[in-house]
Amino acid sequence: MQKDSIVIGLALIVLVLAFALALGLNQTFRGVSTQPQTSTGHGVVYAFVVQPTGEEGDETAGQAAVKGVEREV
Amino acid sequence: MMEEKISNFIIAILAIAIVILGLLLIWRVPVIRMAGMATDTGTVSATVSIENSITITDAAVNLGTIITGQSNSSDSGSDWFVIENNGSVRIDLNMEVDETNLTAAASEIYCKCVSGSNQSGQCPITNYTNCESTEDGSILIATCLKDADAVDEVNAGVNLSVALTETAGAKTLATTFTATTNQSSSCTSS
């Protein structure tokens, strides 16, 4: 009976010490911070959309435009 | 007799545990000090940081004139985005193109990753894949891109397929690249 009481008492002391250790370590390291993990960059895609006109036979507007430039040159 | 042996053993174990925990408490936790002990405290401050940063060294792709019903891509004009990892960590790279300046829902934007001489890591999207911001969301085009100067670049291409119903005119499509730190063991050990 006397030994049982000693065992229970010692077990309680172990629990209290373990709790205090965990609490203290948490306070010690709680200041650790982290940086944002992502970054972004931006670009642009350019395009010029034209619709085929059907002029000059079955040429497309783009082909006709190229021919026009060639004639001027 | 048996009970007495077990009790002694348990008492010994508990006593040892108390000693160990007590020593740890004093050694590891600076806020706990024994009464009467002369102490003074100082503070060491440090911020452990990693730098996740990318630069788009070639930020414009010009696909030129596209007739409705046709498409054009970075391949035909050899015009590519060049993305550089200039941070201090390895990254995964996502890409998306904003389609709001296209009037026809049938017009499609595709993205892909291209292996370059200064590239590292993996390039999982080597075929043009839908990457419209609203319709598809960003897609992962490169993984585990290293930060060392010689191997910190990746090229990305765009393919624009113009629907027959698209309105004519100049189209400007905003493109966003997002770098996410990759600290997985499979990446950092390679």
Short mmCIF file of all heavy atoms in Angstrom, two decimals, chain A residues 3-4 6-7 10-11 13-14 17-18 20-21 24-25 27-29 33 35-52 60 62, chain B residues 4 8 10-11 14 18 21 25 28-29 48-50 52-53 59-68 81 166 168-173 175-179 181:
data_model
loop_
_atom_site.label_atom_id
_atom_site.label_comp_id
_atom_site.label_asym_id
_atom_site.label_seq_id
_atom_site.Cartn_x
_atom_site.Cartn_y
_atom_site.Cartn_z
N LYS A 3 3.98 1.44 -1.05
CA LYS A 3 4.69 1.54 -2.34
C LYS A 3 3.76 2.02 -3.45
O LYS A 3 4.18 2.75 -4.36
CB LYS A 3 5.30 0.19 -2.70
CG LYS A 3 6.56 -0.12 -1.91
CD LYS A 3 7.33 -1.25 -2.53
CE LYS A 3 8.67 -1.42 -1.83
NZ LYS A 3 9.45 -2.51 -2.41
N ASP A 4 2.49 1.58 -3.39
CA ASP A 4 1.53 2.06 -4.39
C ASP A 4 1.43 3.57 -4.36
O ASP A 4 1.40 4.24 -5.41
CB ASP A 4 0.15 1.44 -4.13
CG ASP A 4 0.13 -0.03 -4.52
OD1 ASP A 4 1.10 -0.46 -5.20
OD2 ASP A 4 -0.82 -0.73 -4.14
N ILE A 6 3.69 5.67 -3.38
CA ILE A 6 4.93 6.26 -3.92
C ILE A 6 4.92 6.24 -5.44
O ILE A 6 5.27 7.22 -6.10
CB ILE A 6 6.16 5.48 -3.37
CG1 ILE A 6 6.28 5.71 -1.87
CG2 ILE A 6 7.43 5.92 -4.09
CD1 ILE A 6 7.29 4.80 -1.20
N VAL A 7 4.49 5.10 -6.00
CA VAL A 7 4.43 4.97 -7.46
C VAL A 7 3.49 6.01 -8.05
O VAL A 7 3.82 6.69 -9.03
CB VAL A 7 3.99 3.55 -7.85
CG1 VAL A 7 3.65 3.50 -9.34
CG2 VAL A 7 5.07 2.55 -7.52
N LEU A 10 5.12 9.48 -7.82
CA LEU A 10 6.18 9.67 -8.81
C LEU A 10 5.61 9.81 -10.22
O LEU A 10 6.10 10.62 -11.02
CB LEU A 10 7.15 8.47 -8.75
CG LEU A 10 8.04 8.39 -7.50
CD1 LEU A 10 8.83 7.10 -7.50
CD2 LEU A 10 8.96 9.59 -7.41
N ALA A 11 4.58 9.04 -10.53
CA ALA A 11 3.95 9.13 -11.86
C ALA A 11 3.38 10.53 -12.07
O ALA A 11 3.50 11.10 -13.16
CB ALA A 11 2.85 8.08 -11.99
N ILE A 13 4.46 13.28 -10.70
CA ILE A 13 5.59 14.21 -10.90
C ILE A 13 6.10 14.12 -12.34
O ILE A 13 6.39 15.13 -12.98
CB ILE A 13 6.72 13.88 -9.89
CG1 ILE A 13 6.25 14.22 -8.47
CG2 ILE A 13 7.98 14.66 -10.22
CD1 ILE A 13 7.19 13.72 -7.38
N VAL A 14 6.19 12.90 -12.84
CA VAL A 14 6.63 12.72 -14.24
C VAL A 14 5.70 13.45 -15.19
O VAL A 14 6.12 14.15 -16.12
CB VAL A 14 6.69 11.22 -14.60
CG1 VAL A 14 6.88 11.04 -16.10
CG2 VAL A 14 7.83 10.55 -13.85
N LEU A 17 6.26 17.28 -14.96
CA LEU A 17 7.51 17.67 -15.61
C LEU A 17 7.40 17.60 -17.13
O LEU A 17 7.88 18.48 -17.85
CB LEU A 17 8.65 16.78 -15.11
CG LEU A 17 9.15 17.06 -13.69
CD1 LEU A 17 10.16 16.00 -13.28
CD2 LEU A 17 9.77 18.44 -13.60
N ALA A 18 6.77 16.54 -17.63
CA ALA A 18 6.60 16.40 -19.08
C ALA A 18 5.76 17.54 -19.63
O ALA A 18 6.06 18.11 -20.68
CB ALA A 18 5.97 15.06 -19.41
N ALA A 20 5.39 20.55 -18.31
CA ALA A 20 6.16 21.79 -18.22
C ALA A 20 7.20 21.87 -19.34
O ALA A 20 7.42 22.92 -19.94
CB ALA A 20 6.85 21.88 -16.86
N LEU A 21 7.82 20.75 -19.64
CA LEU A 21 8.82 20.71 -20.71
C LEU A 21 8.19 21.03 -22.06
O LEU A 21 8.71 21.83 -22.84
CB LEU A 21 9.48 19.33 -20.74
CG LEU A 21 10.61 19.15 -21.74
CD1 LEU A 21 11.79 20.06 -21.39
CD2 LEU A 21 11.07 17.70 -21.77
N GLY A 24 7.27 24.73 -22.18
CA GLY A 24 8.46 25.57 -22.31
C GLY A 24 9.05 25.53 -23.69
O GLY A 24 9.42 26.54 -24.27
N LEU A 25 9.14 24.34 -24.28
CA LEU A 25 9.67 24.21 -25.63
C LEU A 25 8.79 24.92 -26.63
O LEU A 25 9.26 25.54 -27.58
CB LEU A 25 9.81 22.73 -25.99
CG LEU A 25 10.91 21.97 -25.28
CD1 LEU A 25 10.87 20.51 -25.66
CD2 LEU A 25 12.28 22.56 -25.60
N GLN A 27 7.04 27.61 -26.08
CA GLN A 27 7.32 29.03 -25.96
C GLN A 27 8.66 29.38 -26.59
O GLN A 27 8.81 30.42 -27.22
CB GLN A 27 7.36 29.42 -24.48
CG GLN A 27 5.98 29.49 -23.85
CD GLN A 27 6.04 29.95 -22.41
OE1 GLN A 27 7.10 29.91 -21.79
NE2 GLN A 27 4.91 30.36 -21.88
N THR A 28 9.63 28.51 -26.45
CA THR A 28 10.96 28.78 -26.98
C THR A 28 10.96 28.90 -28.49
O THR A 28 11.60 29.76 -29.07
CB THR A 28 11.92 27.66 -26.56
OG1 THR A 28 11.92 27.58 -25.14
CG2 THR A 28 13.32 27.93 -27.06
N PHE A 29 10.22 28.03 -29.16
CA PHE A 29 10.29 27.98 -30.62
C PHE A 29 9.09 28.59 -31.34
O PHE A 29 8.99 28.51 -32.54
CB PHE A 29 10.45 26.52 -31.07
CG PHE A 29 11.72 25.90 -30.58
CD1 PHE A 29 11.71 24.89 -29.65
CD2 PHE A 29 12.94 26.37 -31.05
CE1 PHE A 29 12.89 24.33 -29.19
CE2 PHE A 29 14.12 25.82 -30.59
CZ PHE A 29 14.10 24.80 -29.66
N SER A 33 9.15 31.82 -38.04
CA SER A 33 8.19 32.24 -39.06
C SER A 33 8.64 31.74 -40.42
O SER A 33 9.79 31.39 -40.63
CB SER A 33 8.09 33.76 -39.09
OG SER A 33 9.34 34.31 -39.41
N GLN A 35 8.30 32.32 -44.84
CA GLN A 35 8.03 33.29 -45.90
C GLN A 35 6.96 32.73 -46.83
O GLN A 35 6.72 31.53 -46.87
CB GLN A 35 9.32 33.50 -46.70
CG GLN A 35 10.42 34.17 -45.90
CD GLN A 35 10.20 35.65 -45.77
OE1 GLN A 35 9.86 36.30 -46.74
NE2 GLN A 35 10.37 36.18 -44.58
N PRO A 36 6.33 33.60 -47.62
CA PRO A 36 5.38 33.11 -48.61
C PRO A 36 6.05 32.13 -49.57
O PRO A 36 7.21 32.30 -49.92
CB PRO A 36 4.95 34.39 -49.34
CG PRO A 36 5.19 35.48 -48.37
CD PRO A 36 6.39 35.05 -47.57
N GLN A 37 5.32 31.16 -49.99
CA GLN A 37 5.89 30.08 -50.78
C GLN A 37 5.66 30.21 -52.28
O GLN A 37 6.03 29.34 -53.03
CB GLN A 37 5.31 28.75 -50.30
CG GLN A 37 5.62 28.42 -48.85
CD GLN A 37 7.03 27.95 -48.67
OE1 GLN A 37 7.46 26.99 -49.28
NE2 GLN A 37 7.79 28.64 -47.83
N THR A 38 5.02 31.30 -52.70
CA THR A 38 4.75 31.45 -54.13
C THR A 38 5.19 32.83 -54.61
O THR A 38 5.29 33.77 -53.83
CB THR A 38 3.27 31.26 -54.46
OG1 THR A 38 2.51 32.28 -53.77
CG2 THR A 38 2.76 29.90 -54.06
N SER A 39 5.44 32.92 -55.90
CA SER A 39 5.69 34.22 -56.52
C SER A 39 5.09 34.16 -57.92
O SER A 39 4.83 33.08 -58.46
CB SER A 39 7.18 34.52 -56.59
OG SER A 39 7.83 33.57 -57.39
N THR A 40 4.84 35.32 -58.50
CA THR A 40 4.22 35.35 -59.82
C THR A 40 5.02 36.23 -60.78
O THR A 40 5.75 37.12 -60.37
CB THR A 40 2.78 35.89 -59.76
OG1 THR A 40 2.80 37.19 -59.16
CG2 THR A 40 1.88 34.99 -58.96
N GLY A 41 4.85 35.96 -62.06
CA GLY A 41 5.42 36.78 -63.11
C GLY A 41 4.38 36.94 -64.20
O GLY A 41 3.45 36.14 -64.30
N HIS A 42 4.53 38.00 -64.98
CA HIS A 42 3.49 38.29 -65.97
C HIS A 42 4.09 38.47 -67.36
O HIS A 42 5.18 39.02 -67.51
CB HIS A 42 2.72 39.55 -65.57
CG HIS A 42 2.02 39.42 -64.25
ND1 HIS A 42 0.83 38.76 -64.10
CD2 HIS A 42 2.40 39.79 -63.01
CE1 HIS A 42 0.49 38.76 -62.82
NE2 HIS A 42 1.42 39.39 -62.13
N GLY A 43 3.33 38.02 -68.35
CA GLY A 43 3.72 38.19 -69.73
C GLY A 43 2.49 38.54 -70.56
O GLY A 43 1.37 38.61 -70.04
N VAL A 44 2.71 38.76 -71.87
CA VAL A 44 1.61 39.14 -72.76
C VAL A 44 1.73 38.38 -74.07
O VAL A 44 2.84 38.19 -74.58
CB VAL A 44 1.63 40.66 -73.05
CG1 VAL A 44 0.47 41.04 -73.95
CG2 VAL A 44 1.59 41.46 -71.77
N VAL A 45 0.58 37.94 -74.57
CA VAL A 45 0.52 37.35 -75.90
C VAL A 45 -0.16 38.35 -76.83
O VAL A 45 -1.25 38.84 -76.52
CB VAL A 45 -0.27 36.02 -75.90
CG1 VAL A 45 -0.40 35.48 -77.33
CG2 VAL A 45 0.39 35.01 -74.99
N TYR A 46 0.50 38.68 -77.95
CA TYR A 46 -0.10 39.59 -78.92
C TYR A 46 -0.51 38.81 -80.17
O TYR A 46 0.20 37.90 -80.60
CB TYR A 46 0.90 40.67 -79.34
CG TYR A 46 1.34 41.58 -78.22
CD1 TYR A 46 2.61 41.46 -77.65
CD2 TYR A 46 0.49 42.57 -77.73
CE1 TYR A 46 3.01 42.29 -76.63
CE2 TYR A 46 0.90 43.41 -76.69
CZ TYR A 46 2.17 43.26 -76.16
OH TYR A 46 2.56 44.08 -75.14
N ALA A 47 -1.63 39.20 -80.73
CA ALA A 47 -2.06 38.62 -82.00
C ALA A 47 -3.00 39.62 -82.67
O ALA A 47 -3.63 40.45 -82.01
CB ALA A 47 -2.78 37.30 -81.78
N PHE A 48 -3.04 39.53 -84.01
CA PHE A 48 -3.97 40.39 -84.74
C PHE A 48 -4.87 39.48 -85.57
O PHE A 48 -4.40 38.76 -86.45
CB PHE A 48 -3.22 41.38 -85.65
CG PHE A 48 -4.11 42.46 -86.19
CD1 PHE A 48 -4.38 43.60 -85.43
CD2 PHE A 48 -4.69 42.33 -87.43
CE1 PHE A 48 -5.22 44.59 -85.93
CE2 PHE A 48 -5.54 43.32 -87.93
CZ PHE A 48 -5.80 44.45 -87.17
N VAL A 49 -6.15 39.52 -85.26
CA VAL A 49 -7.11 38.63 -85.91
C VAL A 49 -7.75 39.34 -87.10
O VAL A 49 -8.20 40.49 -86.98
CB VAL A 49 -8.19 38.19 -84.91
CG1 VAL A 49 -9.28 37.38 -85.61
CG2 VAL A 49 -7.57 37.37 -83.78
N VAL A 50 -7.74 38.68 -88.25
CA VAL A 50 -8.40 39.22 -89.44
C VAL A 50 -9.40 38.20 -89.95
O VAL A 50 -9.28 37.00 -89.70
CB VAL A 50 -7.38 39.56 -90.55
CG1 VAL A 50 -6.44 40.67 -90.10
CG2 VAL A 50 -6.61 38.32 -90.96
N GLN A 51 -10.39 38.72 -90.67
CA GLN A 51 -11.39 37.83 -91.25
C GLN A 51 -11.18 37.74 -92.74
O GLN A 51 -10.87 38.74 -93.39
CB GLN A 51 -12.79 38.38 -90.94
CG GLN A 51 -13.12 38.30 -89.46
CD GLN A 51 -14.46 38.92 -89.13
OE1 GLN A 51 -14.87 39.90 -89.77
NE2 GLN A 51 -15.13 38.38 -88.14
N PRO A 52 -11.32 36.57 -93.32
CA PRO A 52 -11.15 36.43 -94.77
C PRO A 52 -12.26 37.17 -95.49
O PRO A 52 -13.41 37.16 -95.06
CB PRO A 52 -11.23 34.92 -95.00
CG PRO A 52 -12.00 34.41 -93.84
CD PRO A 52 -11.69 35.30 -92.69
N THR A 60 -7.38 34.55 -99.09
CA THR A 60 -7.76 35.08 -97.79
C THR A 60 -7.33 36.54 -97.70
O THR A 60 -6.53 37.01 -98.51
CB THR A 60 -7.07 34.30 -96.65
OG1 THR A 60 -5.66 34.51 -96.78
CG2 THR A 60 -7.39 32.82 -96.71
N GLY A 62 -5.49 37.83 -95.50
CA GLY A 62 -4.07 37.89 -95.16
C GLY A 62 -3.20 37.74 -96.40
O GLY A 62 -2.24 38.49 -96.61
N GLU B 4 6.10 -6.98 -4.91
CA GLU B 4 7.12 -6.11 -4.35
C GLU B 4 8.24 -5.84 -5.36
O GLU B 4 8.70 -4.72 -5.51
CB GLU B 4 7.69 -6.78 -3.10
CG GLU B 4 8.51 -5.82 -2.25
CD GLU B 4 8.87 -6.45 -0.92
OE1 GLU B 4 7.95 -6.96 -0.25
OE2 GLU B 4 10.05 -6.45 -0.58
N ASN B 8 9.24 -2.08 -7.01
CA ASN B 8 10.60 -1.53 -6.96
C ASN B 8 11.08 -1.12 -8.34
O ASN B 8 11.69 -0.07 -8.53
CB ASN B 8 11.57 -2.56 -6.36
CG ASN B 8 11.38 -2.68 -4.86
OD1 ASN B 8 10.88 -1.76 -4.23
ND2 ASN B 8 11.75 -3.83 -4.31
N ILE B 10 9.23 -0.32 -10.94
CA ILE B 10 8.48 0.86 -11.39
C ILE B 10 8.98 2.13 -10.71
O ILE B 10 9.16 3.17 -11.34
CB ILE B 10 6.97 0.67 -11.12
CG1 ILE B 10 6.43 -0.43 -12.04
CG2 ILE B 10 6.20 1.97 -11.35
CD1 ILE B 10 5.01 -0.84 -11.74
N ILE B 11 9.25 2.02 -9.42
CA ILE B 11 9.77 3.20 -8.69
C ILE B 11 11.10 3.64 -9.27
O ILE B 11 11.35 4.82 -9.48
CB ILE B 11 9.90 2.85 -7.19
CG1 ILE B 11 8.52 2.74 -6.57
CG2 ILE B 11 10.72 3.92 -6.45
CD1 ILE B 11 8.53 2.15 -5.16
N LEU B 14 10.48 5.38 -12.66
CA LEU B 14 9.90 6.71 -12.47
C LEU B 14 10.93 7.69 -11.94
O LEU B 14 10.96 8.86 -12.36
CB LEU B 14 8.70 6.62 -11.52
CG LEU B 14 7.44 5.98 -12.12
CD1 LEU B 14 6.39 5.77 -11.04
CD2 LEU B 14 6.89 6.82 -13.25
N ILE B 18 12.08 11.12 -13.81
CA ILE B 18 12.01 12.44 -13.17
C ILE B 18 13.34 13.17 -13.30
O ILE B 18 13.40 14.35 -13.63
CB ILE B 18 11.60 12.29 -11.68
CG1 ILE B 18 10.13 11.91 -11.60
CG2 ILE B 18 11.86 13.58 -10.91
CD1 ILE B 18 9.70 11.49 -10.21
N LEU B 21 13.78 14.21 -17.07
CA LEU B 21 12.89 15.30 -17.44
C LEU B 21 13.29 16.60 -16.74
O LEU B 21 13.24 17.68 -17.34
CB LEU B 21 11.45 14.94 -17.09
CG LEU B 21 10.75 13.99 -18.06
CD1 LEU B 21 9.40 13.56 -17.50
CD2 LEU B 21 10.56 14.64 -19.42
N LEU B 25 14.35 19.96 -18.67
CA LEU B 25 13.59 21.17 -18.42
C LEU B 25 14.52 22.35 -18.16
O LEU B 25 14.34 23.44 -18.69
CB LEU B 25 12.68 20.94 -17.21
CG LEU B 25 11.51 21.90 -17.02
CD1 LEU B 25 10.57 21.82 -18.20
CD2 LEU B 25 10.77 21.54 -15.75
N ARG B 28 16.87 22.83 -21.70
CA ARG B 28 16.28 23.24 -22.96
C ARG B 28 15.35 24.43 -22.86
O ARG B 28 15.08 25.09 -23.85
CB ARG B 28 15.49 22.07 -23.57
CG ARG B 28 16.33 20.91 -23.99
CD ARG B 28 17.29 21.27 -25.11
NE ARG B 28 16.60 21.68 -26.31
CZ ARG B 28 17.19 22.15 -27.39
NH1 ARG B 28 18.50 22.32 -27.38
NH2 ARG B 28 16.52 22.50 -28.46
N VAL B 29 14.82 24.71 -21.68
CA VAL B 29 13.82 25.77 -21.57
C VAL B 29 14.42 26.95 -20.81
O VAL B 29 14.54 26.92 -19.59
CB VAL B 29 12.55 25.27 -20.86
CG1 VAL B 29 11.50 26.37 -20.83
CG2 VAL B 29 12.02 24.03 -21.55
N VAL B 48 14.47 32.59 -40.48
CA VAL B 48 14.82 31.59 -41.48
C VAL B 48 13.94 31.84 -42.71
O VAL B 48 12.71 31.75 -42.63
CB VAL B 48 14.58 30.17 -40.94
CG1 VAL B 48 14.91 29.14 -42.01
CG2 VAL B 48 15.42 29.95 -39.70
N SER B 49 14.55 32.20 -43.81
CA SER B 49 13.73 32.55 -44.96
C SER B 49 14.22 31.83 -46.21
O SER B 49 15.38 31.46 -46.31
CB SER B 49 13.74 34.05 -45.20
OG SER B 49 15.03 34.46 -45.60
N ILE B 50 13.31 31.68 -47.12
CA ILE B 50 13.65 31.17 -48.44
C ILE B 50 13.13 32.19 -49.44
O ILE B 50 12.16 32.88 -49.16
CB ILE B 50 13.01 29.79 -48.71
CG1 ILE B 50 11.50 29.87 -48.49
CG2 ILE B 50 13.64 28.73 -47.85
CD1 ILE B 50 10.79 28.61 -48.85
N ASN B 52 11.53 32.78 -52.92
CA ASN B 52 10.86 32.24 -54.09
C ASN B 52 10.63 33.40 -55.04
O ASN B 52 9.86 34.30 -54.76
CB ASN B 52 9.52 31.61 -53.66
CG ASN B 52 8.74 31.05 -54.83
OD1 ASN B 52 8.81 31.58 -55.94
ND2 ASN B 52 7.99 30.00 -54.58
N SER B 53 11.33 33.39 -56.17
CA SER B 53 11.25 34.54 -57.07
C SER B 53 11.49 34.10 -58.51
O SER B 53 12.39 33.31 -58.78
CB SER B 53 12.28 35.59 -56.66
OG SER B 53 12.26 36.68 -57.56
N ALA B 59 9.05 38.43 -71.92
CA ALA B 59 7.68 38.48 -71.40
C ALA B 59 6.64 38.71 -72.48
O ALA B 59 5.47 38.94 -72.16
CB ALA B 59 7.57 39.57 -70.33
N ALA B 60 7.03 38.67 -73.75
CA ALA B 60 6.06 38.91 -74.81
C ALA B 60 6.19 37.87 -75.91
O ALA B 60 7.30 37.54 -76.33
CB ALA B 60 6.25 40.30 -75.40
N VAL B 61 5.05 37.36 -76.33
CA VAL B 61 5.01 36.45 -77.48
C VAL B 61 4.09 37.07 -78.52
O VAL B 61 2.92 37.37 -78.22
CB VAL B 61 4.49 35.05 -77.07
CG1 VAL B 61 4.17 34.22 -78.31
CG2 VAL B 61 5.53 34.34 -76.22
N ASN B 62 4.60 37.30 -79.71
CA ASN B 62 3.80 37.90 -80.78
C ASN B 62 3.45 36.83 -81.81
O ASN B 62 4.33 36.32 -82.49
CB ASN B 62 4.58 39.05 -81.44
CG ASN B 62 3.71 39.87 -82.37
OD1 ASN B 62 2.64 39.42 -82.77
ND2 ASN B 62 4.16 41.05 -82.70
N LEU B 63 2.19 36.52 -81.88
CA LEU B 63 1.74 35.47 -82.80
C LEU B 63 1.39 36.02 -84.18
O LEU B 63 0.96 35.27 -85.06
CB LEU B 63 0.53 34.74 -82.21
CG LEU B 63 0.81 34.00 -80.89
CD1 LEU B 63 -0.46 33.36 -80.36
CD2 LEU B 63 1.90 32.95 -81.06
N GLY B 64 1.53 37.32 -84.37
CA GLY B 64 1.31 37.92 -85.68
C GLY B 64 -0.15 37.90 -86.10
O GLY B 64 -1.06 37.82 -85.27
N THR B 65 -0.35 37.95 -87.40
CA THR B 65 -1.71 37.98 -87.94
C THR B 65 -2.28 36.56 -88.06
O THR B 65 -1.61 35.67 -88.58
CB THR B 65 -1.71 38.64 -89.33
OG1 THR B 65 -1.24 39.98 -89.20
CG2 THR B 65 -3.11 38.66 -89.91
N ILE B 66 -3.48 36.39 -87.54
CA ILE B 66 -4.14 35.08 -87.61
C ILE B 66 -5.51 35.28 -88.26
O ILE B 66 -6.30 36.13 -87.82
CB ILE B 66 -4.32 34.46 -86.22
CG1 ILE B 66 -2.99 34.41 -85.45
CG2 ILE B 66 -4.90 33.05 -86.33
CD1 ILE B 66 -3.12 33.94 -84.02
N ILE B 67 -5.76 34.53 -89.30
CA ILE B 67 -7.06 34.59 -89.98
C ILE B 67 -8.05 33.74 -89.19
O ILE B 67 -7.70 32.67 -88.68
CB ILE B 67 -6.92 34.06 -91.42
CG1 ILE B 67 -5.91 34.93 -92.17
CG2 ILE B 67 -8.27 34.06 -92.13
CD1 ILE B 67 -5.41 34.29 -93.43
N THR B 68 -9.26 34.23 -89.07
CA THR B 68 -10.27 33.47 -88.32
C THR B 68 -10.40 32.07 -88.89
O THR B 68 -10.35 31.86 -90.10
CB THR B 68 -11.63 34.17 -88.36
OG1 THR B 68 -11.97 34.42 -89.73
CG2 THR B 68 -11.62 35.48 -87.59
N PHE B 81 8.08 32.53 -74.33
CA PHE B 81 8.31 33.12 -73.02
C PHE B 81 9.55 32.44 -72.42
O PHE B 81 9.74 31.23 -72.58
CB PHE B 81 7.13 32.85 -72.07
CG PHE B 81 5.88 33.63 -72.41
CD1 PHE B 81 4.74 32.97 -72.85
CD2 PHE B 81 5.84 35.01 -72.27
CE1 PHE B 81 3.60 33.67 -73.16
CE2 PHE B 81 4.69 35.72 -72.58
CZ PHE B 81 3.56 35.05 -73.02
N GLU B 166 -14.77 34.81 -84.21
CA GLU B 166 -14.00 35.79 -83.44
C GLU B 166 -14.01 37.14 -84.15
O GLU B 166 -13.91 37.20 -85.39
CB GLU B 166 -12.56 35.29 -83.28
CG GLU B 166 -11.67 36.15 -82.42
CD GLU B 166 -12.08 36.13 -80.95
OE1 GLU B 166 -12.36 35.05 -80.43
OE2 GLU B 166 -12.13 37.22 -80.34
N ALA B 168 -12.56 40.63 -85.48
CA ALA B 168 -11.24 41.01 -85.96
C ALA B 168 -10.65 42.10 -85.07
O ALA B 168 -11.36 42.82 -84.37
CB ALA B 168 -11.34 41.50 -87.41
N GLY B 169 -9.33 42.19 -85.12
CA GLY B 169 -8.66 43.26 -84.38
C GLY B 169 -7.49 42.74 -83.56
O GLY B 169 -7.20 41.54 -83.55
N ALA B 170 -6.84 43.68 -82.90
CA ALA B 170 -5.68 43.34 -82.08
C ALA B 170 -6.13 42.64 -80.80
O ALA B 170 -7.11 43.06 -80.17
CB ALA B 170 -4.89 44.59 -81.74
N LYS B 171 -5.44 41.60 -80.44
CA LYS B 171 -5.75 40.84 -79.22
C LYS B 171 -4.53 40.85 -78.30
O LYS B 171 -3.42 40.51 -78.72
CB LYS B 171 -6.12 39.39 -79.55
CG LYS B 171 -7.23 39.23 -80.58
CD LYS B 171 -8.57 39.68 -80.05
CE LYS B 171 -9.65 39.55 -81.12
NZ LYS B 171 -10.97 40.02 -80.64
N THR B 172 -4.78 41.26 -77.10
CA THR B 172 -3.72 41.25 -76.07
C THR B 172 -4.17 40.32 -74.95
O THR B 172 -5.20 40.56 -74.32
CB THR B 172 -3.48 42.66 -75.52
OG1 THR B 172 -3.12 43.52 -76.60
CG2 THR B 172 -2.36 42.66 -74.49
N LEU B 173 -3.40 39.28 -74.71
CA LEU B 173 -3.80 38.26 -73.74
C LEU B 173 -2.80 38.22 -72.58
O LEU B 173 -1.63 37.88 -72.78
CB LEU B 173 -3.87 36.89 -74.43
CG LEU B 173 -4.69 36.83 -75.73
CD1 LEU B 173 -4.56 35.46 -76.37
CD2 LEU B 173 -6.14 37.18 -75.47
N THR B 175 -0.81 36.99 -69.54
CA THR B 175 -0.32 35.66 -69.17
C THR B 175 0.30 35.71 -67.77
O THR B 175 1.05 36.64 -67.46
CB THR B 175 0.73 35.18 -70.18
OG1 THR B 175 0.17 35.26 -71.49
CG2 THR B 175 1.17 33.76 -69.89
N THR B 176 -0.05 34.74 -66.95
CA THR B 176 0.45 34.73 -65.57
C THR B 176 1.21 33.43 -65.30
O THR B 176 0.72 32.34 -65.61
CB THR B 176 -0.70 34.86 -64.57
OG1 THR B 176 -1.40 36.07 -64.84
CG2 THR B 176 -0.18 34.90 -63.13
N PHE B 177 2.38 33.59 -64.73
CA PHE B 177 3.19 32.44 -64.30
C PHE B 177 3.25 32.45 -62.78
O PHE B 177 3.49 33.50 -62.18
CB PHE B 177 4.60 32.52 -64.88
CG PHE B 177 4.65 32.47 -66.37
CD1 PHE B 177 4.63 33.65 -67.12
CD2 PHE B 177 4.68 31.26 -67.04
CE1 PHE B 177 4.65 33.61 -68.50
CE2 PHE B 177 4.71 31.21 -68.43
CZ PHE B 177 4.69 32.39 -69.16
N THR B 178 3.03 31.32 -62.18
CA THR B 178 3.08 31.21 -60.72
C THR B 178 4.10 30.15 -60.32
O THR B 178 4.03 29.00 -60.77
CB THR B 178 1.70 30.83 -60.15
OG1 THR B 178 0.74 31.80 -60.59
CG2 THR B 178 1.73 30.81 -58.63
N ALA B 179 5.05 30.56 -59.49
CA ALA B 179 6.09 29.64 -59.01
C ALA B 179 5.74 29.20 -57.59
O ALA B 179 5.47 30.03 -56.72
CB ALA B 179 7.44 30.32 -59.03
N THR B 181 7.16 26.92 -54.38
CA THR B 181 8.34 26.27 -53.82
C THR B 181 8.15 24.75 -53.76
O THR B 181 7.12 24.27 -53.30
CB THR B 181 8.63 26.80 -52.41
OG1 THR B 181 8.85 28.20 -52.49
CG2 THR B 181 9.85 26.13 -51.81
#
